[in-house]
Amino acid sequence: MNKKKIRVSVRELVGFSVNKGHIEKGRSSIMAEAAWEGTVLHTEFQKEMEKKHGGDLFGREVYLKDETSNDDVILTISGRIDGLLTGGETPYLYEVKSTGKSINDIGMNEFPEHWGQALCYGFIYLKKEKLNAIQIILIYINRDTKERREFGRYYEIAELKKTYMSFVMNHLSWMTQIRKWEVIRDISIKNLKFPFTNYRLGQRQMAEKAYISIRDKTRLFTQAPTGIGKTMGAMFPAVKALGEGILDRIFYLTAKTVTAGIAVDNYKRLCDAGLNLRAVVITAKDKVCPLEKRNCDPDFCDRARNYYERAPNAVKDLLNNQFLDRVIIKKYADLYNVCPFELALDASLYCDMIIGDYNYLFDPRVKLLRFFDEISERYCFLIDEAHNLVDRGRDMFSCEVDKKSILELKRNTDPKWDDLKKRLEKINRELNILKKERFEEGKGTVYDSSREIPGKLVTACSRCTAIMEKYIDCDMEDEYNILFMDLYFNLLFFCKVSEMYDERYATFYIRRSKNMHVKLMCLDPSYLLGKAMDKGISSILFSATLEPAQYYKGILGGRDKDRSISLPSPFPDENLKVAVEGRISTKYKDRDTSYDDIAFVLRDSFKIRTGNYIIFFPSYKYLRDVLVAFEQICGDMEILVQEPGMNEAEREIFLQRFNKHGENTLIAFAVMGGIFGEGIDLAGEKLSGVAIIGTGLPTVCPEREMIRSYYDECNGRGFDYAYTYPGLNRVLQAAGRVIRSETDKGFVILIDSRFAKRQYRNLYPYWWKPRYFIGDDWAVSNYIDSI
């Protein structure tokens, strides 16, 4: 067995042995958001020391590395000393920590992990320089007041070595167990065969291109029709690359729970074929929390209290399982009385595949910092249903503040917290100033926009969060605590977004009566999505609808060296009939005169044979208007209607009706881009055809118009980027509900005169063979009758 080379930071090394205490309410997020400000304080301290002692004697960010090994593992420990002062009889090592706590409340031994890091640095330095002793100074700097407190100790190398080696041997022992698992895993991957007798048409090509992209460290944008086996086409080559040592870890990222389930099914199929690979499914915190109302305050939740003392044994026990999902994780979380969400995250460090939502990579608020803060591994990102990432990306990189939430917290804040009330009032004043600058007095909702960032508002928000952090650990009533924490994190993120603000952003102002909203809006997510994917060596993005290819490649962070491919349908062309009814206009100005014409086309098409059908509309209003006309001429057909805001149970009842077929014709009225427009699988006779009313264009609104204006400036394609391409995606997704397997047969009717125009004809998937009907006769029904 070859020795495994493992890199670990000094912080990770110490944290493995010394990480004690509670899960503080939001503490990890707070520290993540405060990291940038802490870096500034470090730099200020370092500059002072350089000025005082000179750059020859004081060194900043001094890199250190040490190596130790056993028969299985070579462990490389590295990190950077904040400050090192030499030239005297004994060197001085400075470890600097920023904090939101009052300096006077910090004791010398309050944070043993901080001393542990400093002692490790001290030993590695003395070992390297062949010295015997060192002065170690631990400095805390308050992020708000900039006050400092220092604690100093003198150490000889023998004492430092004892502490350091206890950390190293503890970590080395654990890594040896992990290495032995990896050997078993790699042998299973080497012997793993593709889990099906044959590849589907296009699936082998996808797998080969994916492997090459992983090997060559590029991104691959893959459009592959439903039924090709995209999930296995991406997962199998990634697993093979992992076994060959090209990768260290695989992330399978999804937009919805249902697609995560498909990933799990494919993973289990590989396991049935002999794969030994540890995988974890990360489920959102609110969904796994055992409390009726989530509250992560250790004074309230006993699973958060002293979590880090129980977690190591819980993780080790949990890892006796190869597959870790919500059910398995809950079992061990209950057994050890620990938080199931944090347990899943801790266990994920030792898993080979992590399955979860997009936001764990892309969203600055919830991304997995343990993987993406200090990167020492080679990751591959498998990004399913990648078309969803465009709007999700814009949402994840945007943030807004509003006057109402500021005043609500101010009203409920204890008068004793006068400094907080003043900071909240300062934000309110800045919002009032912007309101007067942007709008005249009046009622109703009005909008304005700018390409400039509101700097004074950002400063006010930043100063307010600094004051709020003082009160994080104070006792609060439950309702006030929710208001406080929600606003705190929102203001923090608003400041974070302000740091990302560049030419790809705009500021959006909304006045709704007395309320005022200011939104920092990401117009173009490509740069930030690409930057997130830079955390891995390769990304495989795939969907049934990534057309046009250059649009998706550009807007999803593709680079010149990255490739786009479009794969053929694995099913016979004759199984799908696509009819374009080009005589009817569904443009907004023409809709009032279209209801009857649409109803007659639908009636003639659906009466041909008994079956289940779905009609997709661009809006609920249009749906209801056509429904009235349709019911008047088709009263003998069963009608099912999607309603706004359907809960999970209602959705399930809606879909279960499709399990019945053959006796009566079912016509379901639904909206494009909604819960039934993508991600549902109605194979076989559960669904015989769909009709799509209109081109799916997003509703014209001020935000969408800002996107249009931005891309007009960039490439002159503003309308296409803001409306045409997103609308086409909704159409293609809705059409994709029909053919789900090689035996499925069905039809798609596109109803809108624009569908017959060259602009749209050039965008259809090449495996479609549309028949266009733009003459005087109504021949659509005759065409689809030939299926």
Side-chain angles (χ1 to χ4, degrees):
M1 180 177 72
N2 295 327
K3 288 187 178 184
K4 170 77 170 182
K5 294 182 179 180
I6 297 174
R7 294 176 58 191
V8 62
S9 68
V10 168
R11 186 177 67 179
E12 292 170 327
L13 178 76
V14 174
F16 184 79
S17 297
V18 181
N19 202 359
K20 306 294 184 185
H22 317 305
I23 299 173
E24 302 290 352
K25 53 179 180 182
R27 181 60 61 187
S28 60
S29 299
I30 293 169
M31 297 312 295
E33 295 295 344
W36 181 84
E37 190 173 353
T39 300
V40 172
L41 296 175
H42 279 58
T43 302
E44 290 176 355
F45 168 77
Q46 291 165 341
K47 287 180 178 179
E48 288 179 19
M49 295 294 285
E50 282 182 337
K51 185 176 181 180
K52 181 178 180 180
H53 299 284
D56 294 338
L57 296 179
F58 182 82
R60 62 161 90 178
E61 303 297 326
V62 180
Y63 180 75
L64 293 175
K65 183 174 75 171
D66 189 38
E67 190 172 278
T68 187
S69 65
N70 60 18
D71 292 339
D72 304 304
V73 173
I74 300 173
L75 189 63
T76 301
I77 304 106
S78 62
R80 295 184 182 275
I81 302 175
D82 293 324
L84 184 67
L85 181 62
T86 57
E89 189 172 320
T90 304
Y92 281 71
L93 185 153
Y94 295 88
E95 180 71 9
V96 182
K97 301 294 181 184
S98 63
T99 180
K101 296 187 67 171
S102 169
I103 290 300
N104 296 326
D105 292 339
I106 297 176
M108 185 170 189
N109 298 311
E110 185 165 351
F111 299 102
E113 65 272 23
H114 296 166
W115 278 112
Q117 293 171 34
L119 269 56
C120 288
Y121 285 131
F123 172 74
I124 297 172
Y125 177 75
L126 293 180
K127 177 183 175 182
K128 176 187 174 185
E129 300 297 328
K130 297 182 172 55
L131 299 175
N132 188 56
I134 194 170
Q135 287 277 358
I136 293 180
I137 311 297
L138 185 56
I139 301 176
Y140 291 95
I141 307 176
N142 182 277
R143 284 189 289 274
D144 182 35
T145 66
K146 307 299 187 291
E147 292 178 292
R148 299 177 184 174
R149 187 166 191 181
E150 298 185 6
F151 302 101
R153 287 175 176 168
Y154 172 86
Y155 288 95
E156 294 186 349
I157 192 170
E159 184 179 358
L160 293 177
K161 181 178 180 180
K162 182 178 179 181
T163 300
Y164 175 74
M165 290 308 298
S166 69
F167 294 146
V168 169
M169 297 311 294
N170 193 21
H171 200 274
L172 197 61
S173 173
W174 176 241
M175 286 296 103
T176 299
Q177 295 181 48
I178 299 300
R179 175 55 184 156
K180 289 178 178 179
W181 162 256
E182 290 176 347
V183 172
I184 296 170
R185 178 200 70 191
D186 291 349
I187 291 173
S188 77
I189 294 174
K190 183 178 180 180
N191 296 325
L192 183 67
K193 304 297 183 184
F194 192 69
F196 298 99
T197 305
N198 298 300
Y199 284 92
R200 288 180 174 176
L201 179 64
Q203 190 178 37
R204 186 183 189 97
Q205 183 184 356
M206 178 180 175
E208 290 173 349
K209 297 295 184 184
Y211 180 85
I212 291 170
S213 290
I214 295 169
R215 183 197 65 192
D216 295 345
K217 301 180 180 180
T218 60
R219 296 170 193 160
L220 179 67
F221 297 81
T222 304
Q223 175 171 267
T226 299
I228 203 172
K230 294 186 291 293
T231 301
M232 188 62 76
M235 187 180 291
F236 183 70
V239 169
K240 281 293 186 180
L242 182 73
E244 293 170 12
I246 299 173
L247 297 175
D248 296 310
R249 205 182 306 267
I250 300 166
F251 288 82
Y252 194 103
L253 304 170
T254 73
K256 299 178 180 178
T257 303
V258 64
T259 44
I262 295 171
V264 169
D265 291 342
N266 280 266
Y267 160 77
K268 289 182 176 180
R269 187 176 290 275
L270 290 173
C271 292
D272 291 341
L275 176 66
N276 291 311
L277 183 140
R278 189 174 286 130
V280 60
V281 180
I282 299 180
T283 308
K285 185 182 293 187
D286 285 331
K287 290 185 177 181
V288 298
C289 180
L291 300 179
E292 185 174 335
K293 188 175 183 181
R294 180 167 66 86
N295 186 337
C296 299
D297 188 336
D299 292 334
F300 182 86
C301 177
D302 60 355
R303 291 177 182 247
R305 193 179 312 117
N306 297 318
Y307 168 85
Y308 293 107
E309 294 175 15
R310 300 188 297 276
N313 288 331
V315 170
K316 290 177 182 178
D317 204 1
L318 176 60
L319 291 178
N320 287 319
N321 299 274
Q322 182 169 300
F323 175 61
L324 317 178
D325 67 353
R326 181 175 179 171
V327 175
I328 296 295
I329 292 167
K330 179 183 183 303
K331 173 184 174 182
Y332 288 88
D334 291 346
L335 181 63
Y336 286 91
N337 195 35
V338 294
C339 170
F341 182 73
E342 291 294 331
L343 180 61
L345 295 184
D346 287 341
S348 70
L349 289 168
Y350 311 106
C351 291
D352 309 300
M353 182 186 296
I354 297 170
I355 300 171
D357 192 89
Y358 292 159
N359 57 20
Y360 294 124
L361 170 63
F362 296 106
D363 194 328
R365 289 162 290 192
V366 295
K367 66 181 180 181
L368 301 178
L369 293 176
R370 63 193 70 206
F371 293 108
F372 306 131
D373 190 14
E374 295 182 6
I375 302 169
S376 59
E377 293 186 335
R378 297 160 299 171
Y379 304 139
C380 174
F381 305 124
L382 307 181
I383 302 173
D384 198 357
E385 300 291 354
H387 63 275
N388 286 305
L389 193 53
V390 179
D391 286 337
R392 281 286 298 274
R394 287 194 178 107
D395 290 342
M396 287 187 286
F397 304 136
S398 301
C399 187
E400 71 176 60
V401 295
D402 72 284
K403 182 181 175 72
K404 181 179 178 182
S405 61
I406 299 297
L407 292 178
E408 187 176 11
L409 186 67
K410 181 188 173 188
R411 281 195 304 270
N412 289 280
T413 295
D414 193 311
K416 291 186 294 185
W417 294 0
D418 184 56
D419 51 353
L420 174 55
K421 293 178 82 74
K422 287 179 179 178
R423 290 298 184 188
L424 291 167
E425 178 54 32
K426 177 61 176 174
I427 297 175
N428 181 50
R429 286 201 299 269
E430 291 299 330
L431 288 170
N432 284 335
I433 291 171
L434 290 169
K435 186 178 178 182
K436 290 180 180 179
E437 289 177 353
R438 294 282 163 181
F439 307 111
E440 296 179 359
E441 289 297 327
K443 296 183 178 181
T445 301
V446 288
Y447 306 88
D448 195 13
S449 63
S450 168
R451 300 300 291 276
E452 301 296 326
I453 192 168
K456 291 183 179 179
L457 176 62
V458 172
T459 299
C461 291
S462 177
R463 290 174 177 171
C464 185
T465 58
I467 295 297
M468 293 178 82
E469 191 170 335
K470 287 172 45 180
Y471 299 108
I472 289 286
D473 297 320
C474 294
D475 291 333
M476 304 179 194
E477 296 291 334
D478 286 348
E479 289 187 11
Y480 180 80
N481 180 62
I482 293 171
L483 289 175
F484 182 96
M485 296 303 295
D486 284 349
L487 182 61
Y488 174 73
F489 286 122
N490 192 61
L491 294 180
L492 273 180
F493 188 56
F494 190 79
C495 296
K496 179 70 174 178
V497 171
S498 74
E499 297 167 21
M500 301 186 288
Y501 197 104
D502 58 12
E503 70 277 6
R504 302 171 188 86
Y505 273 82
T507 304
F508 196 57
Y509 300 94
I510 312 139
R511 192 204 70 194
R512 293 191 176 100
S513 275
K514 295 181 180 180
N515 201 10
M516 173 72 175
H517 299 252
V518 178
K519 181 176 183 178
L520 305 183
M521 180 180 172
C522 178
L523 304 173
D524 176 4
S526 60
Y527 172 73
L528 294 171
L529 292 174
K531 192 174 179 181
M533 286 188 282
D534 285 342
K535 305 292 186 182
I537 66 168
S538 178
S539 295
I540 311 299
L541 301 95
F542 49 100
S543 169
T545 55
L546 286 184
E547 203 60 66
Q550 285 306 111
Y551 162 73
Y552 280 103
K553 180 182 175 184
I555 205 166
L556 292 177
R559 305 158 299 186
D560 290 342
K561 65 179 180 179
D562 300 326
R563 293 192 60 195
S564 296
I565 60 171
S566 184
L567 300 174
S569 171
F571 310 134
D573 291 344
E574 60 269 20
N575 285 14
L576 176 67
K577 299 287 186 181
V578 179
V580 176
E581 175 47 77
R583 295 186 65 226
I584 302 173
S585 172
T586 71
K587 292 180 179 178
Y588 192 79
K589 64 183 179 64
D590 300 325
R591 288 185 180 177
D592 288 347
T593 60
S594 70
Y595 308 146
D596 290 338
D597 288 343
I598 291 173
F600 280 115
V601 172
L602 297 175
R603 181 200 64 180
D604 292 344
S605 302
F606 298 148
K607 73 179 183 180
I608 295 171
R609 65 172 58 88
T610 301
N612 296 337
Y613 305 95
I614 302 179
I615 313 166
F616 289 103
F617 292 85
S619 70
Y620 282 103
K621 183 182 184 308
Y622 204 3
L623 180 156
R624 287 189 288 267
D625 289 336
V626 174
L627 176 61
V628 172
F630 186 79
E631 286 179 322
Q632 290 175 355
I633 60 173
C634 298
D636 57 333
M637 295 181 182
E638 182 181 352
I639 295 175
L640 198 61
V641 180
Q642 177 184 347
E643 299 292 345
M646 293 174 74
N647 59 36
E648 242 178 85
E650 290 169 332
R651 297 177 199 175
E652 189 61 31
I653 293 171
F654 187 98
L655 291 174
Q656 282 178 356
R657 174 57 188 84
F658 287 86
N659 293 331
K660 301 177 184 177
H661 49 81
E663 296 179 7
N664 299 300
T665 289
L666 171 71
I667 311 294
F669 283 64
V671 292
M672 272 185 280
I675 53 177
F676 305 118
E678 62 177 281
I680 63 169
D681 193 3
L682 300 172
E685 294 186 41
K686 290 182 181 180
L687 185 64
S688 298
V690 303
I692 299 171
I693 316 300
T695 56
L697 301 184
T699 302
V700 176
C701 65
E703 291 189 1
R704 188 62 58 173
E705 284 296 288
M706 288 171 64
I707 296 171
R708 173 180 178 171
S709 176
Y710 168 80
Y711 283 105
D712 271 338
E713 294 174 14
C714 292
N715 57 26
R717 304 291 300 276
F719 188 85
D720 285 342
Y721 274 59
Y723 295 100
T724 304
Y725 299 154
L728 177 67
N729 193 278
R730 294 179 180 179
V731 171
L732 296 178
Q733 281 292 324
R737 299 314 97 208
V738 180
I739 302 296
R740 311 297 295 180
S741 72
E742 57 270 18
T743 58
D744 281 7
K745 293 184 179 182
F747 63 79
V748 173
I749 305 174
L750 305 178
I751 301 178
D752 191 295
S753 55
R754 288 167 289 186
F755 283 131
K757 294 182 178 179
R758 185 172 301 278
Q759 177 191 15
Y760 278 88
R761 291 188 185 206
N762 293 337
L763 296 175
Y764 298 144
Y766 69 83
W767 60 84
W768 278 12
K769 302 292 187 289
R771 182 75 63 85
Y772 297 91
F773 297 95
I774 55 178
D776 294 332
D777 60 328
W778 301 92
V780 172
S781 57
N782 293 331
Y783 173 62
I784 63 175
D785 190 27
S786 62
I787 295 176

PDB file of all heavy atoms in Angstrom, residues 219-239:
ATOM      1  N   ARG A 219     -14.028  22.661 -17.337  1.00  0.00           N
ATOM      2  CA  ARG A 219     -15.461  22.569 -17.085  1.00  0.00           C
ATOM      3  C   ARG A 219     -16.162  22.097 -18.353  1.00  0.00           C
ATOM      4  O   ARG A 219     -15.775  22.483 -19.452  1.00  0.00           O
ATOM      5  CB  ARG A 219     -16.022  23.936 -16.661  1.00  0.00           C
ATOM      6  CG  ARG A 219     -15.433  24.419 -15.347  1.00  0.00           C
ATOM      7  CD  ARG A 219     -15.773  25.858 -15.031  1.00  0.00           C
ATOM      8  NE  ARG A 219     -14.919  26.319 -13.933  1.00  0.00           N
ATOM      9  CZ  ARG A 219     -14.680  27.593 -13.647  1.00  0.00           C
ATOM     10  NH1 ARG A 219     -15.251  28.550 -14.373  1.00  0.00           N
ATOM     11  NH2 ARG A 219     -13.888  27.913 -12.644  1.00  0.00           N
ATOM     12  N   LEU A 220     -17.170  21.276 -18.154  1.00  0.00           N
ATOM     13  CA  LEU A 220     -17.921  20.729 -19.274  1.00  0.00           C
ATOM     14  C   LEU A 220     -19.392  21.092 -19.115  1.00  0.00           C
ATOM     15  O   LEU A 220     -19.992  20.812 -18.081  1.00  0.00           O
ATOM     16  CB  LEU A 220     -17.765  19.211 -19.339  1.00  0.00           C
ATOM     17  CG  LEU A 220     -18.520  18.499 -20.470  1.00  0.00           C
ATOM     18  CD1 LEU A 220     -17.922  18.878 -21.826  1.00  0.00           C
ATOM     19  CD2 LEU A 220     -18.481  16.983 -20.266  1.00  0.00           C
ATOM     20  N   PHE A 221     -19.969  21.707 -20.154  1.00  0.00           N
ATOM     21  CA  PHE A 221     -21.379  22.070 -20.166  1.00  0.00           C
ATOM     22  C   PHE A 221     -22.094  21.103 -21.101  1.00  0.00           C
ATOM     23  O   PHE A 221     -21.850  21.104 -22.314  1.00  0.00           O
ATOM     24  CB  PHE A 221     -21.551  23.516 -20.641  1.00  0.00           C
ATOM     25  CG  PHE A 221     -20.907  24.515 -19.717  1.00  0.00           C
ATOM     26  CD1 PHE A 221     -19.544  24.762 -19.776  1.00  0.00           C
ATOM     27  CD2 PHE A 221     -21.660  25.185 -18.772  1.00  0.00           C
ATOM     28  CE1 PHE A 221     -18.940  25.674 -18.914  1.00  0.00           C
ATOM     29  CE2 PHE A 221     -21.074  26.095 -17.910  1.00  0.00           C
ATOM     30  CZ  PHE A 221     -19.702  26.342 -17.977  1.00  0.00           C
ATOM     31  N   THR A 222     -22.944  20.268 -20.536  1.00  0.00           N
ATOM     32  CA  THR A 222     -23.545  19.168 -21.284  1.00  0.00           C
ATOM     33  C   THR A 222     -25.050  19.311 -21.359  1.00  0.00           C
ATOM     34  O   THR A 222     -25.740  19.325 -20.333  1.00  0.00           O
ATOM     35  CB  THR A 222     -23.212  17.816 -20.612  1.00  0.00           C
ATOM     36  OG1 THR A 222     -21.799  17.681 -20.506  1.00  0.00           O
ATOM     37  CG2 THR A 222     -23.768  16.666 -21.433  1.00  0.00           C
ATOM     38  N   GLN A 223     -25.559  19.431 -22.597  1.00  0.00           N
ATOM     39  CA  GLN A 223     -27.005  19.328 -22.796  1.00  0.00           C
ATOM     40  C   GLN A 223     -27.301  17.910 -23.259  1.00  0.00           C
ATOM     41  O   GLN A 223     -26.781  17.460 -24.278  1.00  0.00           O
ATOM     42  CB  GLN A 223     -27.516  20.323 -23.835  1.00  0.00           C
ATOM     43  CG  GLN A 223     -29.003  20.125 -24.109  1.00  0.00           C
ATOM     44  CD  GLN A 223     -29.616  21.207 -24.958  1.00  0.00           C
ATOM     45  OE1 GLN A 223     -30.149  22.176 -24.436  1.00  0.00           O
ATOM     46  NE2 GLN A 223     -29.548  21.046 -26.271  1.00  0.00           N
ATOM     47  N   ALA A 224     -28.107  17.219 -22.479  1.00  0.00           N
ATOM     48  CA  ALA A 224     -28.442  15.832 -22.800  1.00  0.00           C
ATOM     49  C   ALA A 224     -29.922  15.630 -22.534  1.00  0.00           C
ATOM     50  O   ALA A 224     -30.414  15.975 -21.452  1.00  0.00           O
ATOM     51  CB  ALA A 224     -27.614  14.868 -21.960  1.00  0.00           C
ATOM     52  N   PRO A 225     -30.653  15.094 -23.485  1.00  0.00           N
ATOM     53  CA  PRO A 225     -32.104  14.957 -23.323  1.00  0.00           C
ATOM     54  C   PRO A 225     -32.471  13.991 -22.214  1.00  0.00           C
ATOM     55  O   PRO A 225     -31.677  13.133 -21.810  1.00  0.00           O
ATOM     56  CB  PRO A 225     -32.561  14.431 -24.686  1.00  0.00           C
ATOM     57  CG  PRO A 225     -31.359  13.796 -25.276  1.00  0.00           C
ATOM     58  CD  PRO A 225     -30.190  14.584 -24.786  1.00  0.00           C
ATOM     59  N   THR A 226     -33.685  14.146 -21.723  1.00  0.00           N
ATOM     60  CA  THR A 226     -34.210  13.243 -20.712  1.00  0.00           C
ATOM     61  C   THR A 226     -34.124  11.795 -21.205  1.00  0.00           C
ATOM     62  O   THR A 226     -34.438  11.505 -22.355  1.00  0.00           O
ATOM     63  CB  THR A 226     -35.667  13.591 -20.413  1.00  0.00           C
ATOM     64  OG1 THR A 226     -35.718  14.927 -19.904  1.00  0.00           O
ATOM     65  CG2 THR A 226     -36.260  12.643 -19.392  1.00  0.00           C
ATOM     66  N   GLY A 227     -33.697  10.914 -20.307  1.00  0.00           N
ATOM     67  CA  GLY A 227     -33.636   9.503 -20.651  1.00  0.00           C
ATOM     68  C   GLY A 227     -32.265   9.019 -21.040  1.00  0.00           C
ATOM     69  O   GLY A 227     -32.029   7.824 -21.184  1.00  0.00           O
ATOM     70  N   ILE A 228     -31.311   9.943 -21.184  1.00  0.00           N
ATOM     71  CA  ILE A 228     -29.974   9.531 -21.603  1.00  0.00           C
ATOM     72  C   ILE A 228     -29.178   8.944 -20.429  1.00  0.00           C
ATOM     73  O   ILE A 228     -28.184   8.251 -20.620  1.00  0.00           O
ATOM     74  CB  ILE A 228     -29.218  10.724 -22.226  1.00  0.00           C
ATOM     75  CG1 ILE A 228     -28.111  10.240 -23.159  1.00  0.00           C
ATOM     76  CG2 ILE A 228     -28.616  11.630 -21.157  1.00  0.00           C
ATOM     77  CD1 ILE A 228     -27.464  11.338 -23.950  1.00  0.00           C
ATOM     78  N   GLY A 229     -29.631   9.238 -19.203  1.00  0.00           N
ATOM     79  CA  GLY A 229     -28.896   8.783 -18.030  1.00  0.00           C
ATOM     80  C   GLY A 229     -27.796   9.759 -17.651  1.00  0.00           C
ATOM     81  O   GLY A 229     -26.639   9.374 -17.465  1.00  0.00           O
ATOM     82  N   LYS A 230     -28.158  11.045 -17.527  1.00  0.00           N
ATOM     83  CA  LYS A 230     -27.163  12.097 -17.267  1.00  0.00           C
ATOM     84  C   LYS A 230     -26.459  11.891 -15.928  1.00  0.00           C
ATOM     85  O   LYS A 230     -25.248  12.105 -15.814  1.00  0.00           O
ATOM     86  CB  LYS A 230     -27.848  13.469 -17.281  1.00  0.00           C
ATOM     87  CG  LYS A 230     -28.394  13.881 -18.631  1.00  0.00           C
ATOM     88  CD  LYS A 230     -28.935  15.299 -18.613  1.00  0.00           C
ATOM     89  CE  LYS A 230     -30.194  15.436 -17.802  1.00  0.00           C
ATOM     90  NZ  LYS A 230     -31.346  14.729 -18.395  1.00  0.00           N
ATOM     91  N   THR A 231     -27.239  11.510 -14.902  1.00  0.00           N
ATOM     92  CA  THR A 231     -26.645  11.384 -13.565  1.00  0.00           C
ATOM     93  C   THR A 231     -25.533  10.344 -13.554  1.00  0.00           C
ATOM     94  O   THR A 231     -24.426  10.606 -13.065  1.00  0.00           O
ATOM     95  CB  THR A 231     -27.728  11.013 -12.539  1.00  0.00           C
ATOM     96  OG1 THR A 231     -28.731  12.031 -12.543  1.00  0.00           O
ATOM     97  CG2 THR A 231     -27.136  10.882 -11.157  1.00  0.00           C
ATOM     98  N   MET A 232     -25.802   9.155 -14.113  1.00  0.00           N
ATOM     99  CA  MET A 232     -24.769   8.131 -14.165  1.00  0.00           C
ATOM    100  C   MET A 232     -23.655   8.525 -15.133  1.00  0.00           C
ATOM    101  O   MET A 232     -22.475   8.227 -14.900  1.00  0.00           O
ATOM    102  CB  MET A 232     -25.360   6.785 -14.560  1.00  0.00           C
ATOM    103  CG  MET A 232     -24.389   5.611 -14.442  1.00  0.00           C
ATOM    104  SD  MET A 232     -23.819   5.342 -12.733  1.00  0.00           S
ATOM    105  CE  MET A 232     -25.280   4.566 -12.014  1.00  0.00           C
ATOM    106  N   GLY A 233     -24.021   9.226 -16.207  1.00  0.00           N
ATOM    107  CA  GLY A 233     -23.023   9.678 -17.167  1.00  0.00           C
ATOM    108  C   GLY A 233     -22.021  10.634 -16.566  1.00  0.00           C
ATOM    109  O   GLY A 233     -20.891  10.757 -17.073  1.00  0.00           O
ATOM    110  N   ALA A 234     -22.400  11.329 -15.505  1.00  0.00           N
ATOM    111  CA  ALA A 234     -21.482  12.227 -14.803  1.00  0.00           C
ATOM    112  C   ALA A 234     -20.827  11.550 -13.605  1.00  0.00           C
ATOM    113  O   ALA A 234     -19.632  11.721 -13.343  1.00  0.00           O
ATOM    114  CB  ALA A 234     -22.230  13.477 -14.351  1.00  0.00           C
ATOM    115  N   MET A 235     -21.608  10.749 -12.857  1.00  0.00           N
ATOM    116  CA  MET A 235     -21.112  10.166 -11.614  1.00  0.00           C
ATOM    117  C   MET A 235     -20.080   9.071 -11.855  1.00  0.00           C
ATOM    118  O   MET A 235     -19.039   9.007 -11.165  1.00  0.00           O
ATOM    119  CB  MET A 235     -22.288   9.628 -10.789  1.00  0.00           C
ATOM    120  CG  MET A 235     -21.912   9.153  -9.403  1.00  0.00           C
ATOM    121  SD  MET A 235     -23.332   8.535  -8.448  1.00  0.00           S
ATOM    122  CE  MET A 235     -24.251  10.057  -8.168  1.00  0.00           C
ATOM    123  N   PHE A 236     -20.322   8.194 -12.817  1.00  0.00           N
ATOM    124  CA  PHE A 236     -19.423   7.060 -13.035  1.00  0.00           C
ATOM    125  C   PHE A 236     -18.004   7.512 -13.383  1.00  0.00           C
ATOM    126  O   PHE A 236     -17.035   7.042 -12.764  1.00  0.00           O
ATOM    127  CB  PHE A 236     -19.984   6.148 -14.126  1.00  0.00           C
ATOM    128  CG  PHE A 236     -19.178   4.915 -14.380  1.00  0.00           C
ATOM    129  CD1 PHE A 236     -19.127   3.888 -13.457  1.00  0.00           C
ATOM    130  CD2 PHE A 236     -18.443   4.782 -15.548  1.00  0.00           C
ATOM    131  CE1 PHE A 236     -18.373   2.747 -13.678  1.00  0.00           C
ATOM    132  CE2 PHE A 236     -17.680   3.652 -15.795  1.00  0.00           C
ATOM    133  CZ  PHE A 236     -17.644   2.623 -14.854  1.00  0.00           C
ATOM    134  N   PRO A 237     -17.791   8.428 -14.336  1.00  0.00           N
ATOM    135  CA  PRO A 237     -16.426   8.854 -14.627  1.00  0.00           C
ATOM    136  C   PRO A 237     -15.774   9.599 -13.460  1.00  0.00           C
ATOM    137  O   PRO A 237     -14.554   9.517 -13.264  1.00  0.00           O
ATOM    138  CB  PRO A 237     -16.576   9.767 -15.849  1.00  0.00           C
ATOM    139  CG  PRO A 237     -18.004  10.177 -15.855  1.00  0.00           C
ATOM    140  CD  PRO A 237     -18.757   9.033 -15.275  1.00  0.00           C
ATOM    141  N   ALA A 238     -16.585  10.331 -12.672  1.00  0.00           N
ATOM    142  CA  ALA A 238     -16.018  11.026 -11.519  1.00  0.00           C
ATOM    143  C   ALA A 238     -15.521  10.031 -10.475  1.00  0.00           C
ATOM    144  O   ALA A 238     -14.450  10.213  -9.874  1.00  0.00           O
ATOM    145  CB  ALA A 238     -17.066  11.963 -10.910  1.00  0.00           C
ATOM    146  N   VAL A 239     -16.293   8.972 -10.251  1.00  0.00           N
ATOM    147  CA  VAL A 239     -15.869   7.926  -9.312  1.00  0.00           C
ATOM    148  C   VAL A 239     -14.586   7.249  -9.808  1.00  0.00           C
ATOM    149  O   VAL A 239     -13.656   6.990  -9.036  1.00  0.00           O
ATOM    150  CB  VAL A 239     -16.996   6.896  -9.112  1.00  0.00           C
ATOM    151  CG1 VAL A 239     -16.491   5.666  -8.369  1.00  0.00           C
ATOM    152  CG2 VAL A 239     -18.169   7.530  -8.349  1.00  0.00           C
TER     153      VAL A 239
END
